Each structure stands twice: as C-alpha cells, then as structure tokens.
Amino acid sequence: LYMNLFQNSKDAIFVLDEDGYLMECNKAMYETLYPDHIDQSVIDITSINIDILFKSEIILEIFKDKISTQGYVKDFEFEMQLEGSRVISCIMSVNSIENGISDFNGYLAILRDVTQLKILEEYIDEQQKFELASRLSSGFAHDFNNILTVITGYSEFLLSEDLRPKVKQGLEKINKTSIRASQLIQQLLSFSKQEIKSDKENVSLTYLIKGLKDIISNTIPSNIVVKYELADSIQPIRADPVQIEQILLNLIFNAKDA
C-alpha cells in the first residue's frame, strides 16, 4: 500500500542519503527531473545530489542551515535548475529519517512544481498594479478637469465683455485650449475605464489641422519652418477628433526631435 502511494503520488517524492544524494524517487520526481525521458532505467538517479538542483547558492545555504538546525523544512520555496537551462519554481518539505535498526540516516522529501501558480500570481500582481495606476490617473484627471472647468468658465464670461481685440484674441486662445485639454482629460478617463468610449463624428482634416496651427507655432522652435499644404476638397472622415489631434501632434513633435 505504501509503495503504491509513493509511486502514484502526483507530488514528487524522493529519499536522500546523509550527503544529499538521491537514493530513490517516485515517477513524479523522475518526470520533473527528466520530462523528455520515458524509461526510468536509463538514468542513474543515485548520481544526483540535491545541491545541483538549486539555482541560487544563497537559497541552497539557507536550506542547508534550516535542515541542520531544525532537522526539517516545510514549504520551502526555491527555483530548481534542470537540464537545458530549464528552471521551475518549487515548494519542498523535507523531514530527516533516523532508523536505529538499519543505521540509515537520511531525508524524505516531497516536492511540488508551482511554476504555473507563480506565473498566475505575477499576472494578478501586474493587473493590480495596472488597476492602481488607472485609479491614480482617474483621480488626477478629475482634479485637473475641475481646474479646466474654472478656466473655461471664466474665459467664456470675460469673452462676453466688451474687450480690446488683442485681449479678446488671447482669451479665445485660452478658451479653445482649455476646451481641448478637457477633451484630452475625457480620453484619459476613458482609458481608466471611468467613462464611455469617445464619440466618433465627421471630421474635416483640413479644418482640424488649421485649428492646431496656434499650438504648433507656439511649440515648435523658431528655427524650424512648418509648411502647410492643405486641400479643401478632402472628404471628411469618421473619427474621434481628439484622438486625431493627438496623433498629428505626436507626429509633429517626434519629427521635431528627430
């Protein structure tokens, strides 16, 4: 019965001598060490010392220290180095064996491959980091949008007053820029899954590029000349104007830095 449990366990079970050499192992341990070998008789497992299975010498020393002081380890996590530079994540429990009748002293070990579990944990961790970044960006976007609302409101209020042409022209630029910034914030909120997807509409590329001229001229260094060759006959496209503006500005700024 015990031999049947030993051989058919899905966890790897093996026996070590006092010096850490494998004396016996079940099928699961053999398949862990040699997944490409079918016949267990081909490999002499007694030539394998547990030391060579540890990828990290530091972790190996910690393992040995625990065994020597406690006589056992429970759920010890380490990375196992296998053939062909293959590395797997493992959890191992080891108990010392002392038999006064046969004078055998060694260790019984149970090992489990938790590589897939580690991959899943890393994936969940990355998802949690992404969710945190999304929440932070959403909070920033809301705060910044509140500021833009004040700027837009005051600029619209001042534009209703009787102003000098030059002052009015400056306020119109402030108003248009704050509205555009607010639209970009909506994109950020959409990215953080706090808002619905942006709406598409009929967009005239010529009109849109003309509207970007002020931003471009105020951003591009004076030693760079930007020439516009725009055709009025271009048919409108169905797109999100804010996203198109972002694409165009990215292209222009990248070209400036090239």
Side-chain angles (χ1 to χ4, degrees):
L1 174 62
Y2 289 110
M3 183 55 67
N4 187 46
L5 292 173
F6 176 80
Q7 288 295 345
N8 293 304
S9 170
K10 297 304 179 183
D11 288 330
I13 304 176
F14 54 99
V15 179
L16 302 167
D17 66 14
E18 291 179 285
D19 299 318
Y21 284 91
L22 268 70
M23 297 185 64
E24 190 173 357
C25 73
N26 68 350
K27 183 180 178 182
M29 181 60 178
Y30 182 87
E31 290 176 346
T32 299
L33 294 173
Y34 304 104
D36 299 327
H37 294 274
I38 300 174
D39 188 359
Q40 288 185 238
S41 64
V42 176
I43 304 296
D44 179 18
I45 64 165
T46 59
S47 64
I48 300 172
N49 191 289
I50 194 171
D51 290 7
I52 66 172
L53 300 180
F54 281 78
K55 180 183 178 183
S56 168
E57 292 185 7
I58 296 175
I59 300 299
L60 173 61
E61 291 305 316
I62 294 173
F63 169 77
K64 286 183 173 181
D65 182 65
K66 286 181 176 292
I67 286 290
S68 63
T69 55
Q70 300 176 170
Y72 72 94
V73 294
K74 180 176 174 60
D75 296 335
F76 188 85
E77 295 188 27
F78 71 104
E79 288 188 321
M80 180 183 284
Q81 181 73 56
L82 301 176
E83 285 187 318
S85 301
R86 182 168 166 258
V87 177
I88 61 173
S89 298
C90 298
I91 292 179
M92 181 169 63
S93 294
V94 181
N95 287 292
S96 59
I97 302 172
E98 296 181 3
N99 189 332
I101 298 175
S102 61
D103 294 326
F104 170 73
N105 294 312
Y107 304 94
L108 175 66
I110 300 176
L111 178 143
R112 175 172 293 180
D113 182 352
V114 292
T115 305
Q116 294 302 317
L117 179 61
K118 288 292 182 183
I119 293 172
L120 179 60
E121 287 177 350
E122 290 175 3
Y123 173 77
I124 293 173
D125 185 53
E126 287 299 316
Q127 290 297 107
Q128 289 175 338
K129 289 179 181 177
F130 180 81
E131 183 180 352
L132 177 60
S134 177
R135 289 180 180 178
L136 289 173
S137 64
S138 175
F140 165 79
H142 278 295
D143 291 342
F144 193 63
N145 196 51
N146 291 337
I147 297 172
L148 289 172
T149 300
V150 174
I151 295 173
T152 304
Y154 272 105
S155 63
E156 289 177 351
F157 171 75
L158 292 172
L159 283 170
S160 64
E161 300 293 319
D162 186 18
L163 303 169
R164 289 178 295 171
K166 191 172 182 179
V167 174
K168 187 173 183 179
Q169 185 180 10
L171 281 172
E172 286 174 344
K173 287 183 179 180
I174 291 172
N175 183 256
K176 288 180 180 179
T177 303
S178 63
I179 291 173
R180 184 176 287 110
S182 181
Q183 292 171 335
L184 292 173
I185 289 297
Q186 296 305 314
Q187 291 293 313
L188 185 58
L189 289 171
S190 176
F191 169 76
S192 64
K193 299 180 181 179
Q194 297 290 327
E195 296 287 340
I196 60 173
K197 293 182 179 180
S198 53
D199 295 326
K200 292 183 179 181
E201 58 186 72
N202 291 329
V203 178
S204 167
L205 291 177
T206 299
Y207 178 79
L208 189 144
I209 293 172
K210 287 179 179 179
L212 292 175
K213 281 187 176 182
D214 287 340
I215 294 177
I216 295 170
S217 62
N218 291 329
T219 307
I220 300 295
S222 58
N223 62 327
I224 297 177
V225 178
V226 181
K227 293 183 178 179
Y228 299 90
E229 295 182 2
L230 306 175
D232 294 328
S233 59
I234 297 178
Q235 293 295 318
I237 62 171
R238 190 74 178 168
D240 177 2
V242 178
Q243 291 182 347
I244 297 298
E245 285 183 351
Q246 287 178 275
I247 293 170
L248 290 172
L249 290 174
N250 285 337
L251 287 172
I252 292 168
F253 296 152
N254 288 337
K256 177 200 72 172
D257 297 329

